[in-house]
Amino acid sequence: MATVEFQGKSFEVDEDGFLQKFEDWSPDWVEYVKEQEGIKELTDEHKKVIEFLQDYYRKNGIAPMVRILSKVTGYKLKHIYELFPSGPGKGACKMAGLPKPTGCV
Amino acid sequence: MAKHQTPMLDELTKGPWPSFVDDVKAEAARRAENKDGIEFQIPADVCEDLLGVLELSYKDKETHWKHGGIVGVFGYGGGVIGRYSDVPKQYPGIAHFHTVRVAQPGGKFYTTEHLRALMDIWDLRGSGLTNMHGSTGDIVFLGTFTEQLEEIFYDITHKLNNDLGGSGSNLRTPADCMGMSRCEYACYDTMALCYALTQEYQDELHRPAFPYKFKFKFDGCPNGCVAALARSDLSFVGTWKGPIRIDQKAVAGYVGGELKPNAGAHASRDWGKFDIQKEVIDLCPTKCMSYDGKTLSIDDKECYRCMHCINTMPAALRVGEEKGVAILAGAKAPILDGAQMSSLLVPFMKVEEPFDEVKELVENIWEWWMEEGKNRERLGETLKRLGFQKILEVTGVQADARHVQHPRENPYIFWKEDEVGGWKRDIQEYRKRHAR
């Protein structure tokens, strides 16, 4: 486990740079992570994806399936990769502060 | 002098089988010597630390890799299996030990030129250790650090015109038997179909969009040399229509002893003189063959095309001329609801470039499963949950007797409303005829 300092805040992260605690998330976290996830400027579309992931996680305790993310945001998978080059799991979920995806990945 | 003592692993250098311990040690020594002056991009002693941690696992009888790991390259949602040591201080060379899946060619035919080029990249940027190949088919680069992933990806795409394989909830790397490249049983060009579908579905392979993983495998005949029936959600197995081609002269050659049964596969033991009645006719599962001492006959309309007679007398019997593929669906390992082999979906389909009919079937199945499949539910489980009838509907395949091994024995039979004249009934109408 490592601690990241950014603009006066500190975040506990694992080796893959995922937040250890969802509660630690703040908008500063997104600013901090975006560069390592290949994102220059955050747009409203990025925010929409992040907000939906967080809402879904708070309600259901898991990340949504890709199909549900696409349906609710209206963004096709291709567009999600344009927004988050490393994809909905490594990119968007990490920025949203969700736990690291698990399973046979 | 080795960095770590490995007494238990050293035991595995004994015996006749090629020892992975010897090989990893040789690679460790090669990296230590570094005759070519390579500027190793990950610790030079990675192989020694790997042996060290493996020895520790042998001692502790438990793994020393941490749970999971999410790493990759931009643009893709899979292809790299991230892995971190849980004892990184003792074994810093393997603090990161990510696996990179690299797409392999059909039938795994290589030139030394390509393999050398791959190894040049891996020597520089990885551990120098590989798995040739992963069970799904990929070339597996075993062990590198996160910072090297984009570098490796850049090198294999720009210098070698090679891509990554699949991982995650997506189409995994398809694999094939060698097919027509060097087998007279092949009923379609497995390598052509495998390559065509791999290219067609690159998006589905690199960016997980499915409820769970999905695999294709391509066997040229029912012998199943790539085990499509057991190890792919959609299994393509070559078959034929019409008669098995018989060369009676060659049959006489087998009976006379000039030709060895099974191409000599059992030559290491004396099984006696070849007895066509005992070894072929009587073993035919449908008993559709006969031999009158001169002529071998096959009642082809009763033949299952099990391959036994052809396997036994390959010089005398050949697969039929009207060739194609049977498509089966649903194979998976036990988790969650039990192991499955694939079930027959399409008994026979012609296989012709550009394979439009195959692609249409694949896409119909995906469209359905992507919508209906639950999170982490394999196709085989969706079939169990929603019923085989559903996949017939979404693929437009007509139900026929070949879809079952045996008809159902329970009477819990669903009917569609329009098949029976409706479900709407008025209990009052019924009561007029049947008082309480």
Side-chain angles (χ1 to χ4, degrees), chain B residues 72-193:
Chain B
V73 297
F74 285 151
Y76 291 180
V80 185
I81 318 304
R83 199 64 79 221
Y84 301 96
S85 173
D86 73 356
V87 281
K89 292 221 170 67
Q90 295 97 303
Y91 307 96
I94 51 146
H96 296 208
F97 201 72
H98 308 324
T99 290
V100 184
R101 290 186 182 163
V102 178
Q104 86 287 4
K108 305 189 179 79
F109 286 97
Y110 291 101
T111 59
T112 52
E113 189 191 6
H114 189 70
L115 289 175
R116 285 205 173 96
L118 281 169
M119 288 310 106
D120 284 345
I121 293 169
W122 191 233
D123 263 351
L124 175 67
R125 305 195 176 282
S127 67
L129 303 176
T130 66
N131 177 359
M132 296 296 275
H133 300 73
S135 307
T136 299
D138 309 87
I139 300 166
V140 174
F141 281 180
L142 264 183
T144 191
F145 278 56
T146 306
E147 300 72 35
Q148 292 304 311
L149 296 174
E150 291 285 357
E151 308 286 343
I152 291 163
F153 184 52
Y154 184 93
D155 283 355
I156 64 168
T157 49
H158 288 72
K159 296 180 185 165
L160 298 184
N161 199 24
N162 209 147
D163 205 340
L164 296 184
S167 71
S169 289
N170 58 4
L171 174 66
R172 300 294 183 86
T173 312
D176 47 13
C177 74
M178 295 188 294
M180 291 178 164
S181 67
R182 46 176 302 174
C183 177
E184 65 270 40
Y185 301 159
C187 295
Y188 69 97
D189 191 341
T190 54
M191 291 162 75
L193 183 58

Side-chain angles (χ1 to χ4, degrees), chain B residues 297-427:
Chain B
S297 317
I298 303 175
D299 183 2
D300 287 284
K301 67 180 195 306
E302 298 297 333
C303 169
Y304 277 175
R305 300 172 299 282
C306 76
M307 298 298 295
H308 176 73
C309 61
I310 297 174
N311 286 338
T312 309
M313 303 191 292
L317 301 176
R318 293 167 68 196
V319 300
E321 275 182 286
E322 192 183 347
K323 300 182 184 106
V325 70
I327 303 172
L328 302 90
K332 58 177 281 289
I335 289 173
L336 283 166
D337 70 355
Q340 287 189 52
M341 301 265 283
S342 282
S343 300
L344 183 64
L345 174 62
V346 179
F348 189 85
M349 188 186 276
K350 284 265 186 205
V351 188
E352 278 154 2
E353 283 188 77
F355 312 115
D356 287 339
E357 208 181 339
V358 175
K359 289 176 190 170
E360 194 188 329
L361 183 93
V362 166
E363 285 161 29
N364 282 335
I365 292 171
W366 281 350
E367 203 178 309
W368 170 66
W369 178 62
M370 285 172 74
E371 191 57 38
E372 298 291 336
K374 291 189 180 181
N375 195 18
R376 296 209 175 150
E377 182 180 67
R378 293 288 287 270
L379 176 68
E381 292 163 340
T382 309
L383 288 175
K384 266 170 112 171
R385 182 168 59 85
L386 298 179
F388 199 79
Q389 179 65 34
K390 278 279 187 284
I391 199 172
L392 295 179
E393 284 169 20
V394 300
T395 53
V397 176
Q398 281 290 318
D400 84 36
R402 291 169 292 182
H403 284 129
V404 294
Q405 199 157 30
H406 194 280
R408 69 191 307 150
E409 287 176 331
N410 73 56
Y412 302 115
I413 297 169
F414 287 88
W415 299 86
K416 292 206 169 103
E417 188 169 6
D418 58 4
E419 292 170 325
V420 298
W423 301 132
K424 290 207 177 72
R425 295 287 189 279
D426 181 358
I427 184 71

Side-chain angles (χ1 to χ4, degrees), chain A residues 15-16 18 36-38 62 65-67 71 77 81 85-86 90 100-105, chain B residues 66-67 69-71 74-77 84 167 172 207-209 211 213 370-371 373 375-376:
Chain A
E15 296 91 338
D16 292 318
F18 279 76
Q36 47 174 283
E37 290 306 320
I62 54 167
M65 289 168 75
V66 168
R67 174 164 51 87
K71 240 187 212 164
L77 188 59
Y81 273 88
S86 42
K90 183 174 175 289
K100 181 155 79 180
T102 57
C104 186
V105 295
Chain B
K66 289 178 81 165
H67 179 81
I70 293 289
V71 290
F74 285 151
Y76 291 180
Y84 301 96
S167 71
R172 300 294 183 86
R207 287 174 277 279
K213 64 177 102 168
M370 285 172 74
E371 191 57 38
N375 195 18
R376 296 209 175 150

Side-chain angles (χ1 to χ4, degrees), chain A residues 22-73:
Chain A
F22 180 58
E23 300 73 47
D24 288 352
W25 185 89
S26 75
D28 291 332
W29 170 250
V30 179
E31 285 301 322
Y32 167 71
V33 174
K34 68 177 189 188
E35 196 182 343
Q36 47 174 283
E37 290 306 320
I39 297 164
K40 283 207 185 74
E41 278 306 315
L42 275 180
T43 64
D44 288 345
E45 292 187 325
H46 288 105
K47 286 176 189 153
K48 185 171 165 187
V49 171
I50 289 172
E51 276 166 23
F52 170 66
L53 289 173
Q54 295 182 330
D55 283 348
Y56 192 95
Y57 181 70
R58 279 190 208 102
K59 262 182 219 146
N60 301 290
I62 54 167
M65 289 168 75
V66 168
R67 174 164 51 87
I68 294 167
L69 177 63
S70 278
K71 240 187 212 164
V72 176
T73 57

